[in-house]
Amino acid sequence: MLKLDKIIKTYNKGKNNAFEALHGISLTVESGEMVAIVGTSGAGKSTLLHILACIDGYDSGEYYIDDMVIGKLSEGKMADIRNEKIGMVMQDFALIEEFTALDNVMIPLDFAARGKKKGKKERKEIAIKMLEMVQMQNFADKPVNSLSGGQKQRVAIARAIVNEPSLILADEPTGALDTETTREIMKVFIDLNKQGKTIIIVTHDLTVAEQCSRVIKIEDGVIIEGN
C-alpha cells in the first residue's frame, strides 16, 4: 500500500521564485490497484509521480510504502527501493538506443543490491523471460534504435518489471504512440495488473485513464477528484 499524508513540495524554496507545486496532497493507493492520474500541464502530476518513485523529496507531510516512512531513509536505501520495489516507464522510453533490447532489460539486474546480484547467465534468462511477457523475445538481439515506438515501449516495460517490483509507475507511457499501439500497450499494463502489480499511470489521454480502476484528478497542486 502507498500512502501520502499532507505532502507539500516547493521548488526553489527560500528564493524569490519559490513555487509550491503540491499543496498538502493526501492519497492512498491499495496494493493491486490500477490508478490513473490526470490533469492539465503544470497541474503537479509529474511532481507527484517523482515523489511516488522516490526520485524527488518533499518538504513536509509523509510518504509511506508498506508502512515504511520514505522521508527518513538514506539516499542509498532510497536507491535500493527504486531498483527493487518500483518499476518506472517513461514517455520517451529512456532506453540506451545503441544497446540491444536484451541489454537494456538487463540493466536493472546489474544494479541489484549487494548480495542479490545474479550471474550473467541467470540475468540473461530473467531478461529474456521479461521480453517474452511483453512479446518482444524475437527482438532481443535487435538494437533499440531499430525498433518502432511501440516496440521500444514494450522493451521499457520489460525493463521496468525485470526486478519484479510490486509497483509500476508510468509517466505518459502512450503519449508518443498511435491509437492501435496505445491499445496494445494498455493491454500489457492491464495484464500486469491482473498479475497483482500496483500500477499508477500519469496520462493526458482519457481513453487510457478510463481503463484504470480509479481516476485521480489533480489541478494546481491539489487533488480535486478521486482520492
Side-chain angles (χ1 to χ4, degrees):
M1 183 182 75
L2 307 180
K3 183 179 179 182
L4 298 173
D5 185 23
K6 299 176 182 176
I7 293 289
I8 293 175
K9 174 64 180 179
T10 305
Y11 291 107
N12 303 317
K13 193 172 183 179
K15 298 182 181 180
N16 291 334
N17 62 342
F19 170 68
E20 190 172 286
L22 299 180
H23 313 300
I25 293 282
S26 292
L27 171 67
T28 299
V29 178
E30 299 291 343
S31 298
E33 273 198 278
M34 184 167 171
V35 176
I37 298 176
V38 302
T40 58
S41 180
K45 303 186 305 297
S46 291
T47 297
L48 177 56
L49 195 73
H50 288 168
I51 289 173
L52 289 170
C54 298
I55 293 171
D56 209 350
Y58 46 91
D59 300 304
S60 64
E62 211 55 83
Y63 174 31
Y64 305 86
I65 298 179
D66 297 331
D67 297 323
M68 186 186 308
V69 182
I70 299 302
K72 296 181 179 179
L73 300 179
S74 67
E75 276 299 317
K77 184 60 177 174
M78 293 264 280
D80 288 344
I81 288 174
R82 285 194 298 270
N83 197 49
E84 296 170 16
K85 282 184 172 287
I86 301 170
M88 193 79 178
V89 181
M90 311 297 289
Q91 177 178 350
D92 63 358
F93 319 124
L95 300 169
I96 300 177
E97 291 281 323
E98 297 78 19
F99 282 20
T100 66
L102 180 62
D103 288 337
N104 270 279
V105 176
M106 288 176 66
I107 289 172
L109 295 171
D110 296 335
F111 286 93
R114 186 176 298 177
K116 296 183 179 180
K117 285 200 173 184
K118 300 173 175 61
K120 186 172 182 179
K121 181 181 178 182
E122 187 177 0
R123 295 201 304 274
K124 185 174 180 179
E125 289 173 349
I126 293 170
I128 288 288
K129 182 180 178 182
M130 296 302 110
L131 286 169
E132 288 173 350
M133 287 183 67
V134 297
Q135 299 179 347
M136 283 295 293
Q137 67 272 22
N138 293 336
F139 298 86
D141 296 324
K142 296 283 188 182
V144 164
N145 56 21
S146 70
L147 302 179
S148 70
Q151 290 169 338
K152 289 179 181 180
Q153 196 60 292
R154 286 176 182 270
V155 173
I157 294 171
R159 182 189 57 189
I161 63 175
V162 73
N163 275 328
E164 298 187 1
S166 55
L167 172 64
I168 299 172
L169 302 173
D171 192 0
E172 297 286 357
T174 62
L177 306 177
D178 60 41
T179 302
E180 180 58 32
T181 308
T182 292
R183 190 177 296 113
E184 293 172 358
I185 293 301
M186 284 306 297
K187 184 179 184 305
V188 174
F189 282 122
I190 290 167
D191 287 345
L192 288 168
N193 180 241
K194 288 177 179 177
Q195 294 170 26
K197 303 291 187 186
T198 304
I199 299 177
I200 301 176
I201 300 175
V202 163
T203 183
H204 284 98
D205 189 338
L206 293 181
T207 64
V208 168
E210 288 166 358
Q211 296 179 66
C212 298
S213 57
R214 180 158 56 116
V215 179
I216 295 165
K217 188 172 184 180
I218 182 170
E219 288 296 343
D220 298 321
V222 176
I223 292 176
I224 62 172
E225 186 179 315
N227 65 333

